[in-house]
Amino acid sequence: MRRAVRVALLAARVAAGVSAVGHIAGALGRRPPIAAVDPAVGSAGESISVVIPARDEAARIEPLLVAVVGAPGVVEVLVVDDESTDTTEAVAAMAGARVVAGRPLPAGWVGKAWALDQGLREATGEWIVALDADTRPASDLPAAIVARARVDGLDLLTVAGRFECPTAPLRWLQPALLTTLVYRTGPPGARRPGPTWRRMGNGQCFTVRRDVLLGVGGLGAVAHHTVEDVALVRTMATAGFAVGFLDAADLLTVRMFESAADARRGWGRSLALPGVDAGWRRVTGVAVVGLAQALPLLRLAARRADVLDGLLLLVRAGTLIGTARAFERRGLPYWLSPTADVVAVVTLACGALNRHTRWRGRTYRLGDVGPPSRSAGRRTTSAPR
C-alpha cells in the first residue's frame, strides 16, 4: 500500500513538473518587450482615448493622470467615476481629465466591466488605451502600445508592467503569487500562447481599436466576469481576433498593494481565475503549483529531496531570475520569495474554493462558466499592420 502511494505521488509530481515546465518554456524566445517609439511614427495620425475606470481612487489616481493627460497621441483622458464616495471626480477634473459620471450598476454586470463599457462608448479616439488607477505609466506608453498593436497586427493587446512593492513582506510574497500564474499559464510574450481557453491578459493596461470592441458588443460579452481581462482576451481569441500579451515593464509601473495582507486579499480574488476557468481546471492548477512550485523546497527542508525535487528547484530558481525585471525593488526579500510559495499556494487554493467575493463595497458570485463566448462578432477584416 505504501509503495502504491509513493508511486502515485511520484507520478503526480512528474505530471505537475511537466505541465509547469511546458508553460515556463514559453519564456524561451519571447517576443521583445514594448519600447518607447517616436510618437509621430507610433500614432501614424491615429487618435488615442485613454479610459480609466475609477471607484474611490482619489488617493492614488493623480500620478497616472499627470502622465497621460496631454501625452503624445492622446486626444482625451476619460475617467469613469464609478459612483465614488470620495473626491475622485474633483481630483480627475483638476488634473485635466474628462470625467464621465458612472451610471448605477445594472444587474448582471461587474463594476469594472461596466465602467470600462461606459468609457468605451463615450470615447472619440480610434484607439482605446485602458489603464487602472493604480498604474504609473511613462507618458509615451499609450503611443508605444498602440504602435506595437499596429505593427504586430493585433486587435487586442494587453501588457504586463513592473510591480512597485513598498514593504519588505510584500516584496517577499508578491513574486511567489505571480509565479503561480507563470506555472499555470506561462509568461507574457510567449511566441506560442497555447489554446484560446488558456490565453492570459492583464486588464491593468490594454489597447484595442474602438470600432473593433464596439463591433463585438463592447464589454457586454464579459459583463458578469470578475476577471474581465482574461475573459475578454479569451472571448475575442475564440471569435477569431488577434490578441497579444506582452511585457511593458520599461514603460509601466503598478502599485497594486501597500502590504502583504492586502496582496493576499487582492490576489485571492482573481488568482485562481474564477469564472473563466472551470472548477476542475482551478483544482488542477492548485495541484500543479503545489506539487511543482511549493513541495520541492518543503521536501528539501525535510531532507527527503530526490532528483526530481532538485530539477524542480532549478526551474524555480530560473523563474526567480526570469521574473526579476517585473519588480521595481527587489533586494533580499525578493530572492527569498520561494520560501513564500506555500503561502501563495494556500492563497490560490482558497481563491479556487471561493463562491463569492467582495470588492469595492460590492459582492459578486463566482460561478463556473463554459467555453469562452462565441457570441461576439467574428473577425472579418485584417488588423492594420
Side-chain angles (χ1 to χ4, degrees):
M1 181 65 178
R2 289 183 178 180
R3 177 178 173 79
V5 171
R6 287 197 298 270
V7 171
L9 178 59
L10 177 60
R13 291 167 56 213
V14 169
V18 169
S19 175
V21 170
H23 294 147
I24 295 166
L28 300 175
R30 278 194 292 178
R31 298 184 184 278
I34 294 175
V37 296
D38 182 338
V41 175
S43 63
E46 295 175 298
S47 56
I48 301 171
S49 293
V50 173
V51 175
I52 304 167
R55 181 174 170 87
D56 296 332
E57 296 286 5
R60 60 180 182 173
I61 197 173
E62 188 173 6
L64 164 59
L65 296 174
V66 169
V68 296
V69 171
V74 174
V75 297
E76 61 182 353
V77 176
L78 289 79
V79 173
V80 183
D81 182 22
D82 185 17
E83 299 185 300
S84 296
T85 59
D86 64 4
T87 59
T88 294
E89 178 182 0
V91 171
M94 284 287 291
R98 176 157 71 96
V99 179
V100 177
R103 299 189 298 276
L105 186 68
W109 281 80
V110 169
K112 184 179 176 182
W114 175 235
L116 284 170
D117 192 75
Q118 293 175 82
L120 167 71
R121 297 177 190 281
E122 288 283 339
T124 61
E126 295 166 276
W127 286 87
I128 300 295
V129 172
L131 287 161
D132 280 2
D134 57 6
T135 57
R136 304 290 181 265
S139 61
D140 47 5
L141 172 73
I145 62 172
V146 168
R148 186 60 178 272
R150 291 176 59 253
V151 169
D152 287 4
L154 298 173
D155 298 298
L156 171 68
L157 170 60
T158 75
V159 302
R162 179 172 291 141
F163 294 108
E164 178 185 345
C165 301
T167 68
L170 184 57
R171 291 194 292 276
W172 170 74
L173 178 60
Q174 186 141 314
L177 293 166
L178 178 66
T179 301
T180 68
L181 276 175
V182 176
Y183 271 59
R184 290 176 291 141
T185 65
R191 291 188 180 274
R192 296 181 179 179
T196 56
W197 56 262
R198 207 182 67 213
R199 297 289 179 88
M200 277 298 296
N202 178 26
Q204 293 170 329
C205 178
F206 71 85
T207 190
V208 63
R209 275 191 177 274
R210 181 172 180 270
D211 58 355
V212 167
L213 192 50
L214 286 174
V216 300
L219 277 295
V222 298
H224 63 289
H225 283 283
T226 55
V227 191
E228 84 296 323
D229 48 3
V230 179
L232 181 62
V233 165
R234 294 181 182 180
T235 295
M236 292 192 67
T238 299
F241 293 92
V243 302
F245 180 33
L246 297 175
D247 178 4
D250 294 331
L251 297 176
L252 178 67
T253 300
V254 183
R255 183 161 174 159
M256 292 178 66
F257 306 111
E258 299 300 313
S259 69
D262 288 344
R264 279 205 66 194
R265 288 191 294 269
W267 280 90
R269 180 180 64 94
S270 59
L271 191 61
L273 305 179
V276 292
D277 270 357
W280 70 267
R281 286 200 183 110
R282 298 200 298 272
V283 171
T284 301
V286 173
V288 166
V289 297
L291 292 170
Q293 181 180 340
L295 184 60
L297 190 59
L298 292 177
R299 286 173 57 86
L300 179 65
R303 298 183 179 181
R304 299 187 63 182
D306 55 19
V307 172
L308 177 59
D309 291 310
L311 293 174
L312 291 175
L313 287 169
L314 286 175
V315 170
R316 182 66 179 95
T319 62
L320 194 62
I321 295 170
T323 60
R325 68 177 265 105
F327 292 88
E328 189 172 69
R329 296 172 61 190
R330 293 183 291 274
L332 187 60
Y334 175 83
W335 299 108
L336 291 178
S337 62
T339 62
D341 284 347
V342 171
V343 179
V345 172
V346 170
T347 301
L348 176 65
C350 291
L353 297 173
N354 282 347
R355 304 306 299 172
H356 296 83
T357 186
R358 185 167 179 80
W359 192 250
R360 299 298 173 114
R362 293 166 173 159
T363 300
Y364 305 108
R365 185 180 185 278
L366 306 177
D368 286 343
V369 296
S373 170
R374 295 180 182 271
S375 62
R378 304 293 296 187
R379 180 181 179 181
T380 56
T381 59
S382 298
R385 292 179 182 272

